[in-house]
Amino acid sequence: NTWLVMLIFIDAAPLVRSKLETIPRGLQNFWEVVVSILDDLVVETMGEKGRPYFPLVATLALFILGCNLIGVIPYFQSATNNLNTTLALALCSFITTHYVGISKHGSHYVKHFLGPVPWLIPLMLPIELIGHLSRILSLSFRLFGNIMGEDLAIVILTLLAPYLVPLPMMVLQVFTSFIQTLVFIMLTMMYIVGSLEEAH
């Protein structure tokens, strides 16, 4: 299912690009709205300094949303109900955050982990390291747990009452798919903004 989502987006990109027009219509119109919404979200959350990270945020958003929504289709399973997928996404976010911090601040980035005064370093360093490493667990398990829970609920309801009862859960699954995507990318953006700030 993960490969299927990737193939859909990989095929959609050249298809839209080959038919670009000054006055958008059809698929171009749809994708321009999607890109515009994501661009506004990035600028509102990160400011103008967030524009260089738009490709990362947009890719995460579209991929996670696609992986979440594919589970609504009968006989398909959400790719994000697998911890391997969500862990890989969380690691992308985590590594990018610290890469951005080191690129921006160089060796001074270590000040983010040391606290405001030198005598607090022995206390602050382990706390900060645990806090940053826990982001991986937070991002991966939150997405995995919510999507897995929904999928299990739909399976159980389908077994108990196969026709009408699962339908409201499927509508809820679509709503939650958007919410979980938004939560993941908002946290990623906030982590990147934090790594861009000067440590005091």
Side-chain angles (χ1 to χ4, degrees):
N1 292 328
T2 307
W3 280 102
L4 180 60
V5 171
M6 288 191 291
L7 286 171
I8 289 168
F9 285 121
I10 289 167
D11 288 341
L15 186 67
V16 174
R17 189 181 60 194
S18 65
K19 297 179 180 178
L20 290 178
E21 297 174 352
T22 308
I23 300 171
R25 58 191 176 89
L27 275 176
Q28 182 184 346
N29 210 4
F30 169 76
W31 285 111
E32 282 191 17
V33 170
V34 170
V35 169
S36 175
I37 289 169
L38 288 171
D39 183 61
D40 290 345
L41 185 64
V42 168
V43 172
E44 285 172 15
T45 306
M46 304 177 76
E48 285 297 325
K49 62 184 177 184
R51 283 201 185 274
Y53 311 104
F54 171 78
L56 170 74
V57 174
T59 302
L60 284 172
L62 293 173
F63 179 71
I64 293 169
L65 185 60
C67 287
N68 291 347
L69 288 176
I70 199 170
V72 178
I73 303 168
Y75 305 108
F76 285 88
Q77 194 175 26
S78 298
T80 42
N81 81 354
N82 187 313
L83 189 56
N84 294 313
T85 304
T86 59
L87 183 59
L89 293 166
L91 284 170
C92 287
S93 175
F94 178 79
I95 291 167
T96 302
T97 298
H98 294 294
Y99 174 78
V100 167
I102 292 166
S103 300
K104 173 78 175 173
H105 305 293
S107 61
H108 295 289
Y109 182 60
V110 77
K111 290 180 181 177
H112 280 256
F113 303 90
L114 303 181
V117 288
W119 59 270
L120 274 177
I121 291 174
L123 178 65
M124 293 301 295
L125 183 59
I127 291 172
E128 287 291 332
L129 288 174
I130 291 168
H132 279 259
L133 289 171
S134 68
R135 292 176 179 180
I136 301 170
L137 294 175
S138 170
L139 286 172
S140 58
F141 276 93
R142 180 186 293 107
L143 182 57
F144 163 72
N146 280 290
I147 302 303
M148 175 63 120
E150 285 174 356
D151 286 357
L152 282 174
I154 288 172
V155 168
I156 292 165
L157 288 172
T158 304
L159 292 172
L160 294 173
Y163 298 108
L164 294 176
V165 177
L167 195 59
M169 277 300 293
M170 287 181 173
V171 173
L172 184 64
Q173 185 179 13
V174 172
F175 175 72
T176 311
S177 295
F178 280 92
I179 295 297
Q180 290 304 316
T181 302
L182 183 63
V183 168
F184 194 100
I185 62 170
M186 288 294 286
L187 286 172
T188 298
M189 287 189 284
M190 296 310 295
Y191 294 156
I192 292 172
V193 166
S195 70
L196 288 170
E197 291 175 354
E198 293 286 342
H200 299 290

